[in-house]
Amino acid sequence: MKQNPSGAVEQSELEASTLLRRIIRSRPIRALRYRLDILRNRYALRFASRPPLEAFTRFYRNPHQMEALIGPALKFLQPDKLGRPLHIVVLACSTGAEPYSFAAELVTKRPEIDFQMVAGDINEELVTKCQAGEYSSEEVFSNKLVTDEIVAGIFDPLSGSELDEHYCVRSEIKERINFKVLDALDPNLAEATGKADILLLQNVLFNLQPEVSTKMFENALQLLHDKTVVFLDGMDVHQRKKLTARHGLKPLDFEVETIHSEVRRIRENGWPGLYWGIEPYWPYRKDTLRRYATVYFYEKSS
């Protein structure tokens, strides 16, 4: 039988190509690329300029955070034993999508829970929009995970054409929230908000220079009650790991990888070269839980 030299060469090239792909996809090479990307992103976080903050937020941004809220978070807080309404504080609330989403989740999924919420932003115009509680169809459906069921739980439709439909937050949800102008760097912040059983400080810290975001995070700690659940999406993962450990916040081990994936849907295009990008979930780290968790429990030591 005659051999085909060209065929042998093609087979050899195919095997070499397959071997190269396997090497590139191997854990050691992926780990090296991951570490290099981490360094590149840390440089961006440290030295990149930050544009003026824009009002960008979405309803039900992290659906599995909502599950954490109505499940393990409430189990930890035991609101039926408080003897008062559950008190929730939302800082840097932007256009109001997040406080309305959390309030709607409690009203629809845990109607027996009595709660009140204070939500604020430093921008007075945004606070006025929050207080109005009216949103365009584009604002309501900017998150593709928002379903008709979710919309029905938050809004009553306002009059308008099908092409320009607007929605108004249901009164039983709206009345639960007190929107006000708040500066999260105010040293007297607790006087304006009260202590929080649930504290939301999300999607603002990564937009600030590291020194300012650290100051804001530590200033918000004055709002911690004897027991508090803290939601911390939108924070540099390295900084979050360091500061939550320093101040005794325990990460909640609940759907951590899933929640991280929901976050990356919006921010993965910025990784690793832009400060707002977020790294992929890397399960081989020793600090995986504390690094990637977005929900933390605080309990004052006796």
Side-chain angles (χ1 to χ4, degrees):
M1 180 182 297
K2 293 184 179 180
Q3 293 185 345
N4 184 344
S6 63
V9 171
E10 289 176 0
Q11 180 65 26
S12 176
E13 290 178 346
L14 178 61
E15 291 175 354
S17 177
T18 301
L19 178 61
L20 180 60
R21 285 197 299 269
R22 287 177 179 174
I23 292 173
I24 292 173
R25 293 172 182 173
S26 66
R27 188 194 297 183
I29 297 298
R30 285 188 293 128
L32 176 60
R33 291 180 60 186
Y34 170 75
R35 292 188 178 95
L36 291 174
D37 284 347
I38 290 286
L39 291 174
R40 184 180 173 191
N41 186 252
R42 299 224 61 75
Y43 181 88
L45 281 164
R46 183 65 186 171
F47 297 107
S49 61
R50 306 301 202 266
L53 292 180
E54 297 181 0
F56 175 78
T57 188
R58 300 180 181 190
F59 289 93
Y60 274 74
R61 189 166 184 154
N62 306 114
H64 283 83
Q65 268 198 349
M66 300 296 182
E67 293 185 15
L69 167 69
I70 63 174
L74 291 182
K75 183 178 181 180
F76 169 72
L77 292 171
Q78 297 181 297
D80 56 317
K81 297 182 179 180
L82 289 177
R84 56 172 174 78
L86 194 70
H87 189 60
I88 304 171
V89 177
V90 185
L91 300 177
C93 71
S94 188
T95 62
E98 185 166 65
Y100 280 133
S101 296
F102 273 73
E105 187 75 1
L106 286 170
V107 168
T108 57
K109 302 288 182 61
R110 297 295 299 270
E112 79 281 7
I113 301 295
D114 187 15
F115 73 94
Q116 58 188 16
M117 182 183 292
V118 173
D121 197 279
I122 197 170
N123 187 316
E124 187 173 355
E125 291 184 4
L126 289 179
V127 173
T128 300
K129 178 178 178 60
C130 293
Q131 292 168 338
E134 296 183 7
Y135 299 89
S136 67
S137 179
E138 181 180 359
E139 290 173 308
V140 171
F141 292 101
S142 63
N143 178 6
K144 294 181 180 180
L145 298 179
V146 170
T147 64
D148 290 338
E149 181 182 2
I150 289 174
V151 171
I154 306 178
F155 301 103
D156 290 323
L158 291 176
S159 60
S161 68
E162 293 183 359
L163 297 177
D164 189 27
E165 192 169 12
H166 280 64
Y167 296 82
C168 181
V169 176
R170 291 165 48 195
S171 59
E172 60 266 40
I173 295 171
K174 199 174 179 180
E175 66 189 11
R176 300 280 193 141
I177 309 175
N178 178 17
F179 287 103
K180 58 173 65 177
V181 176
L182 292 174
D183 181 356
L185 290 169
D186 182 357
N188 300 312
L189 183 62
E191 295 180 10
T193 66
K195 298 280 188 176
D197 300 304
I198 298 176
L199 173 62
L200 278 70
L201 181 58
Q202 303 213 102
N203 300 304
V204 63
L205 295 176
F206 72 99
N207 283 309
L208 307 173
Q209 292 290 351
E211 296 82 1
V212 180
S213 59
T214 296
K215 183 178 179 181
M216 182 177 289
F217 173 86
E218 294 185 331
N219 189 61
L221 296 179
Q222 65 182 280
L223 306 185
L224 299 183
H225 231 306
D226 292 344
K227 292 176 74 173
T228 300
V229 178
V230 184
F231 288 79
L232 278 175
D233 179 24
M235 184 177 185
D236 168 42
V237 293
H238 179 76
Q239 183 187 55
R240 184 170 60 197
K241 167 194 166 184
K242 180 176 68 175
L243 292 179
T244 56
R246 177 187 299 173
H247 295 286
L249 276 65
K250 180 180 178 181
L252 172 63
D253 189 0
F254 177 85
E255 299 288 358
V256 173
E257 184 175 359
T258 301
I259 293 172
H260 188 78
S261 296
E262 290 173 348
V263 173
R264 270 182 59 82
R265 283 188 306 104
I266 300 171
R267 294 169 51 198
E268 66 179 329
N269 290 339
W271 176 261
L274 300 176
Y275 73 87
W276 50 265
I278 186 169
E279 68 185 66
Y281 186 87
W282 186 254
Y284 308 110
R285 299 186 62 104
K286 295 180 180 180
D287 60 353
T288 300
L289 176 58
R290 183 168 292 280
R291 187 177 186 85
Y292 297 123
T294 62
V295 184
Y296 292 79
F297 288 173
Y298 170 81
E299 187 166 12
K300 186 177 180 180
S301 57
S302 57

